[in-house]
Amino acid sequence: MNNSFPNSPQPQHPAFNVPQGNDDFDLKSILFSYIKYWPHILVCVILGGVGAYFVNKYTTPVYLVEATVVLNDEKPDLTSELFSATTYSGPKTNTENEMGIVKSFAVAEDALSKLNFNVSYFRKDFFGFNQIYGNTPVYVNVDWKHPQVTDGKIRLIVLDQDSYQLVVEKDGFYIYNPTDPFYKTSLNNTSVLEGVYKFGEEVLGEYFKFTISNVSSVAGDELYVQLMDTKTLAIGYMNRLNVVPINKQASILKLSIQTPIRKMGEDYLNKLMESYLDRELQEKNRVSESTISFIETQLSGITDSLSFFENRLQKYRSDNRVFNLSQEGNRVFENLVEFENEKARLEITLRYYYQLRDYLTNENLNGTMAPSIGSTGDALLNTLVANLIELQAENIRLSANFSDETPAVRELRLRIQNTKKVLSENVNSSIRNLESNVEQLDRRINVFEKEANALPETERQLVSIQRQFNINESIYVYLLEKRAEAEIQKASNFPKNSTLDYARAQFRPVSPKKSVNFLIGLGIGLGLPFLLITIKNILNSKIDDPKFLEVKTGTPFLGVIGRSKLDSARVVFEAPKSGITESFRSLRSDMSYLAPKEGNLTVLFTSSISGEGKTFCAINMASVFALTNKKVMLIGLDLRKPKIALDFNLTNEIGVSTYLSSNIHWKNVVSTTDHPNLDVILSGPIPPNPAELLLQEKFGMMLEEIKQEYDVVILDCPPVGLVSETKELFKFSDVNIFVFRHKYSEKGNYKILENLKQKGEISKVYTILNDFTVENSYGYGYGYGYGYGQDYGYYEDETKSKKRKKTRKETVA
């Protein structure tokens, strides 16, 4: 019998190297933690690509429709020069304001009111609804003055050429009330819509009123109809519209909208630009309309006077048979007519100034447009009036789309106030001048009236009547000329802004973006499993990586023990050719490096908690030494939870507790096994005070005597993390092996061993990882080499070895 171990120097065995430092980052182990799931990752990537393919194939394409508008800056006028040094400078066109107006609700509503977008028609396929625009097989005429159901979809089934059926396809109906268009209530009873109707027949109910006409549908056709009020549509299109300048320096706006139907988007943008320019033109036309209205007011009075004096003149001539004036009477008549015509024109202008002065004293900036006059002869006054009219038009436009606190609105109103102030001063000055001129004309007219009074009675009456007729005729002709000029001016008005490019849709859709979708699909297919694996690793509190023990414990790591497929713990005896047995052989070989001394060897096995496999390792370590013809003693020191007896088919009637609590010799508690080189001392009956028993000197004496008779002593100790007596047993061993169990031991359990080392309560300690499985820890199969080689053809499966052994026994029998 070989009673000693070779006395050789300890080499730098790679399995026993203690890691330097405590580096938590190990790129290789991190990569392996993901690579082992490569089949799942590959499946997810394929599914992501397939999903992207179907998204690209069946998603309704969306097209970008674009148009451009030119904002023409007006040339500075006299008024702008007056205010350039105070509150305003630069061109009048404000790009930001125009962008807000184009994108406003008012312009969108006006454009949509001219389009037939309130009724949408759809066909349904496997992947959803596809909208039809233009050539629809039926036409729905909706009375929007009546409350209507909106938003939800109604299925229309054509029964024959004359009738159809309505079925509610999708709920979510709201009631549009024309008296309160911005507030809609939900419709709960949608069944009121369903029924069979005739084409051309009015479908009338409390919350709906429309007529459906058959255009080209045939029996069996199915369509889906959705009603939407103009105000809701305007809000939606307003939010979808994008308006930006083509660059910071240019005054050209680019309008764009995304739509699944190119023609629909083009029609909307073209109509939107038309409404925008019409709105500007309407504001300009108010100037001419104001002038025409003023002239019409004057004409309405002068026409009656002209007719009256014309009839009176004819009657007087006929009654008195007087048709021509004398030379003196003709001279007086011409002078009176000349001065009175001039006075009449001044009085018309004066009435305009009075009206303008009344307007300027009105503080309501949102009131009527300032009146316009054809020609006052005052260039500054005309410029101020024209500028005030334009500022008022701009104020109305901005006020419809921006709040009163908007800086642009506040600045514009300040300009209006300043313009009114300057204009008011000029108007008052002009009124004073005109009133003075009228007084002078009155004095000259009085002179000629005295001369007329000296004429004969008949001629004097004729001069008076003909003078009134000519004055009214002259004023009437003058007003007609001015009205014609104003109407010509109105007809010649055009918006200062203009359309540069009409709406045009891009040839290729902007959505779905096939390449981007494929990248997103592959990214999700790759990223999702990585995310789930990362979360799984973060939430995993069990030790599943041998590298973890090397790095965290700072203790030499001996290797891993594979998972046994046998029901018995004696793998070494029952499956001598298995990989697990070979792992214990390797561990046995390492003992020459761990305890290179002469004499016997004492190995202690412990763990942090129960169930980590320390007893399994102790039994097989004892067994593998016994195979080398060394005399081995296995001692069960777990007095609280004994297990060895069951594994050797023994009864735990006597053992360590019996010896320590009585006067019998330790040899009387030794149990023999079916292997001649292996003896066992069981833990014995569970005592009430296991810790105190093991602390007796008697235990140390027993262990010394056992070491004299046995080559190897294996101590199966209680978990050091649960009981205290194991700490007192470390002094009796040459090698201490701390057992962790793969995917069972908590990661925090390494701190138990770390604390023992820091306190100096244990030395010559090594770790192993038990119950290790290759399939769950790809990448460590060759790094540690213990206990899982059967899958590579070097070792025999434990179950096969046991079956062969059983067959041989049956044959011998």
Side-chain angles (χ1 to χ4, degrees):
M1 181 182 299
N2 185 7
N3 293 325
S4 65
F5 289 89
N7 186 10
S8 58
Q10 183 173 348
Q12 293 298 318
H13 194 282
F16 310 143
N17 290 340
V18 179
Q20 299 298 321
N22 199 23
D23 187 9
D24 291 338
F25 182 77
D26 184 354
L27 180 61
K28 183 177 179 181
S29 63
I30 293 175
L31 289 177
F32 280 142
S33 67
Y34 292 99
I35 292 174
K36 67 182 179 180
Y37 295 103
W38 70 265
H40 305 83
I41 297 175
L42 179 61
V43 170
C44 290
V45 170
I46 294 173
L47 290 177
V50 171
Y53 169 79
F54 281 105
V55 168
N56 290 335
K57 185 174 179 62
Y58 296 106
T59 298
T60 302
V62 176
Y63 297 89
L64 180 66
V65 184
E66 295 178 320
T68 52
V69 174
V70 178
L71 307 179
N72 295 314
D73 297 339
E74 291 189 353
K75 297 179 180 179
D77 55 17
L78 181 59
T79 310
S80 62
E81 293 177 359
L82 290 175
F83 300 120
S84 61
T86 57
T87 61
Y88 179 73
S89 63
K92 292 184 179 180
T93 298
N94 190 317
T95 303
E96 293 294 331
N97 292 344
E98 296 301 319
M99 288 171 57
I101 294 171
V102 174
K103 196 175 169 60
S104 67
F105 172 83
V107 176
E109 183 183 25
D110 183 66
L112 289 167
S113 65
K114 303 172 184 177
L115 295 168
N116 190 20
F117 284 8
N118 298 93
V119 183
S120 300
Y121 305 86
F122 302 88
R123 289 194 185 275
K124 189 177 182 181
D125 56 22
F126 180 77
F127 294 96
F129 295 94
N130 295 317
Q131 187 173 356
I132 308 169
Y133 180 71
N135 188 19
T136 58
V138 298
Y139 175 74
V140 181
N141 184 20
V142 184
D143 183 3
W144 289 104
K145 296 180 181 179
H146 187 278
Q148 294 290 349
V149 291
T150 61
D151 297 87
K153 286 186 175 63
I154 307 170
R155 180 157 56 115
L156 188 153
I157 305 171
V158 179
L159 302 179
D160 51 45
Q161 290 296 319
D162 299 322
S163 62
Y164 61 92
Q165 181 182 4
L166 294 182
V167 180
V168 174
E169 172 67 16
K170 188 177 181 181
D171 290 333
F173 286 92
Y174 291 89
I175 302 172
Y176 165 77
N177 189 344
T179 60
D180 190 5
F182 288 100
Y183 177 74
K184 295 194 292 186
T185 57
S186 60
L187 177 64
N188 297 323
N189 184 17
T190 58
S191 61
V192 295
L193 286 166
E194 299 183 339
V196 177
Y197 305 93
K198 296 288 185 180
F199 283 112
E201 173 189 0
E202 185 176 67
V203 181
L204 179 61
E206 183 181 1
Y207 303 119
F208 50 88
K209 184 180 180 182
F210 54 84
T211 303
I212 300 180
S213 304
N214 190 357
V215 179
S216 60
S217 65
V218 296
D221 278 355
E222 287 193 8
L223 293 173
Y224 296 84
V225 179
Q226 183 180 40
L227 308 184
M228 193 69 68
D229 61 281
T230 301
K231 296 190 182 298
T232 302
L233 282 174
I235 294 173
Y237 276 91
M238 178 183 69
N239 293 330
R240 289 166 53 194
L241 180 68
N242 186 32
V243 182
V244 294
I246 60 172
N247 56 59
K248 294 181 178 180
Q249 289 75 31
S251 57
I252 299 178
L253 299 182
K254 178 183 288 186
L255 285 62
S256 62
I257 192 170
Q258 294 186 8
T259 173
I261 302 177
R262 289 179 288 182
K263 186 66 171 62
M264 193 173 182
E266 291 173 352
D267 289 348
Y268 174 72
L269 282 189
N270 288 332
K271 192 61 67 175
L272 183 75
M273 292 188 294
E274 179 183 321
S275 296
Y276 165 67
L277 298 178
D278 284 349
R279 185 180 180 85
E280 181 186 353
L281 181 60
Q282 289 171 7
E283 299 300 337
K284 282 196 168 185
N285 285 340
R286 290 194 183 188
V287 178
S288 299
E289 290 171 356
S290 156
T291 303
I292 294 172
S293 176
F294 176 78
I295 295 174
E296 290 287 351
T297 303
Q298 304 301 317
L299 277 172
S300 63
I302 204 66
T303 303
D304 295 338
S305 298
L306 181 62
S307 298
F308 172 77
F309 285 108
E310 183 180 13
N311 294 332
R312 185 178 177 187
L313 179 62
Q314 291 177 354
K315 186 175 185 304
Y316 185 83
R317 282 178 172 175
S318 176
D319 292 343
N320 296 278
R321 298 182 179 273
V322 178
F323 299 97
N324 295 317
L325 296 171
S326 64
Q327 184 176 2
E328 180 65 19
N330 192 49
R331 182 186 65 81
V332 173
F333 170 75
E334 289 179 352
N335 287 327
L336 282 172
V337 169
E338 178 184 356
F339 288 120
E340 287 185 343
N341 284 342
E342 185 178 353
K343 177 185 175 182
R345 292 188 179 91
L346 290 179
E347 286 178 341
I348 292 174
T349 305
L350 193 58
R351 284 196 294 272
Y352 165 73
Y353 283 153
Y354 288 152
Q355 185 177 351
L356 183 58
R357 183 178 62 183
D358 292 340
Y359 172 77
L360 293 175
T361 58
N362 184 7
E363 295 298 329
N364 183 12
L365 296 178
N366 295 321
T368 309
M369 294 286 295
S372 175
I373 188 168
S375 174
T376 63
D378 189 337
L380 175 60
L381 187 62
N382 289 337
T383 302
L384 288 171
V385 170
N387 189 57
L388 179 61
I389 291 171
E390 184 173 347
L391 291 175
Q392 283 286 59
E394 184 71 12
N395 179 59
I396 293 174
R397 294 176 66 204
L398 290 180
S399 298
N401 303 287
F402 301 98
S403 68
D404 293 343
E405 299 302 320
T406 304
V409 176
R410 295 173 62 184
E411 179 186 357
L412 186 61
R413 294 197 173 186
L414 180 60
R415 289 184 59 204
I416 291 175
Q417 292 285 5
N418 293 334
T419 304
K420 275 191 170 186
K421 182 178 179 181
V422 176
L423 182 58
S424 179
E425 295 174 354
N426 281 269
V427 167
N428 291 328
S429 176
S430 297
I431 288 175
R432 289 192 297 270
N433 292 333
L434 285 173
E435 288 176 343
S436 176
N437 291 336
V438 169
E439 290 177 358
Q440 292 179 5
L441 288 173
D442 284 338
R443 286 194 294 269
R444 300 187 67 178
I445 290 172
N446 289 334
V447 173
F448 286 104
E449 283 181 343
K450 290 179 181 179
E451 294 181 2
N453 291 331
L455 295 173
E457 179 67 23
T458 303
E459 191 172 2
R460 186 174 67 247
Q461 291 293 334
L462 179 61
V463 168
S464 176
I465 296 172
Q466 189 168 357
R467 185 184 74 178
Q468 294 296 329
F469 171 75
N470 285 359
I471 291 173
N472 283 281
E473 183 183 35
S474 176
I475 295 174
Y476 180 76
V477 172
Y478 172 77
L479 291 175
L480 287 180
E481 290 176 355
K482 293 304 178 183
R483 186 176 68 177
E485 291 176 3
E487 289 176 344
I488 292 172
Q489 179 64 38
K490 179 181 177 181
S492 63
N493 280 341
F494 60 91
K496 70 175 184 295
N497 302 327
S498 60
T499 299
L500 179 61
D501 293 317
Y502 285 95
R504 183 178 67 255
Q506 293 184 357
F507 178 72
R508 296 183 181 277
V510 295
S511 174
K513 296 180 179 179
K514 296 185 177 181
S515 57
V516 174
N517 286 345
F518 271 115
L519 289 176
I520 292 175
L522 295 177
I524 293 175
L526 186 64
L528 184 60
F530 269 85
L531 177 63
L532 295 177
I533 293 170
T534 301
I535 294 175
K536 176 179 176 294
N537 291 339
I538 292 174
L539 298 179
N540 180 28
S541 63
K542 308 295 182 181
I543 297 176
D544 59 354
D545 185 359
K547 196 74 175 178
F548 176 85
L549 294 178
E550 289 188 271
V551 174
K552 288 294 186 180
T553 62
T555 302
F557 181 66
L558 298 181
V560 295
I561 305 297
R563 175 171 295 178
S564 174
K565 298 179 181 179
L566 298 179
D567 295 333
S568 173
R570 298 187 299 169
V571 178
V572 171
F573 288 145
E574 298 186 9
K577 294 183 179 181
S578 67
I580 296 178
T581 301
E582 189 61 30
S583 68
F584 282 106
R585 288 194 180 102
S586 298
L587 195 59
R588 179 189 63 193
S589 299
D590 292 337
M591 291 299 120
S592 60
Y593 301 101
L594 303 179
K597 66 176 185 177
E598 296 183 357
N600 55 21
L601 173 67
T602 303
V603 182
L604 182 147
F605 285 89
T606 187
S607 62
S608 56
I609 59 174
S610 178
E612 293 178 304
K614 60 175 182 56
T615 300
F616 171 81
C617 294
I619 291 173
N620 286 283
M621 194 65 188
S623 301
V624 78
F625 272 113
L627 291 176
T628 60
N629 293 325
K630 291 185 181 294
K631 194 173 182 181
V632 181
M633 172 64 77
L634 174 62
I635 304 176
L637 298 179
D638 193 350
L639 304 185
R640 291 179 174 81
K641 196 174 181 181
K643 292 182 179 179
I644 297 178
L646 295 176
D647 294 321
F648 285 96
N649 296 322
L650 301 173
T651 58
N652 196 32
E653 296 178 354
I654 59 173
V656 175
S657 62
T658 308
Y659 166 72
L660 294 177
S661 60
S662 62
N663 294 324
I664 63 174
H665 195 271
W666 63 268
K667 291 185 178 182
N668 294 332
V669 298
V670 175
S671 301
T672 60
T673 65
D674 53 5
H675 195 283
N677 294 322
L678 178 60
D679 293 334
V680 177
I681 297 180
L682 302 176
S683 59
I686 299 175
N689 54 346
E692 286 73 13
L693 288 178
L694 291 176
L695 294 177
Q696 297 180 35
E697 294 183 3
K698 187 176 181 180
F699 173 76
M701 296 171 56
M702 176 193 74
L703 203 56
E704 288 297 327
E705 293 178 7
I706 292 174
K707 290 180 180 182
Q708 298 297 323
E709 297 194 16
Y710 289 87
D711 300 320
V712 178
V713 179
I714 305 297
L715 303 180
D716 178 26
C717 297
V720 70
L722 300 179
V723 298
S724 60
E725 58 264 27
T726 305
K727 299 177 183 179
E728 303 295 332
L729 300 176
F730 291 143
K731 60 186 179 182
F732 299 109
S733 61
D734 301 314
V735 176
N736 300 297
I737 298 179
F738 209 96
V739 179
F740 293 92
R741 184 176 177 181
H742 186 230
K743 292 195 173 182
Y744 180 85
S745 301
E746 295 288 340
K747 290 182 178 179
N749 289 352
Y750 80 90
K751 294 182 179 179
I752 297 174
L753 177 58
E754 189 176 43
N755 291 335
L756 291 174
K757 291 175 59 180
Q758 290 178 353
K759 294 177 181 179
E761 296 178 347
I762 187 173
S763 61
K764 292 186 179 180
V765 61
Y766 307 91
T767 59
I768 61 174
L769 185 61
N770 185 37
D771 197 29
F772 188 79
T773 54
V774 176
E775 60 271 18
N776 293 327
S777 299
Y778 179 81
Y780 297 103
Y782 296 99
Y784 300 95
Y786 297 157
Y788 38 82
Q790 59 268 24
D791 293 335
Y792 299 92
Y794 293 100
Y795 309 109
E796 186 176 42
D797 189 89
E798 300 102 294
T799 56
K800 294 180 181 179
S801 177
K802 183 177 181 181
K803 184 176 180 181
R804 186 178 298 108
K805 183 176 181 181
K806 182 178 181 181
T807 303
R808 285 199 301 268
K809 290 182 178 179
E810 291 175 351
T811 303
V812 173

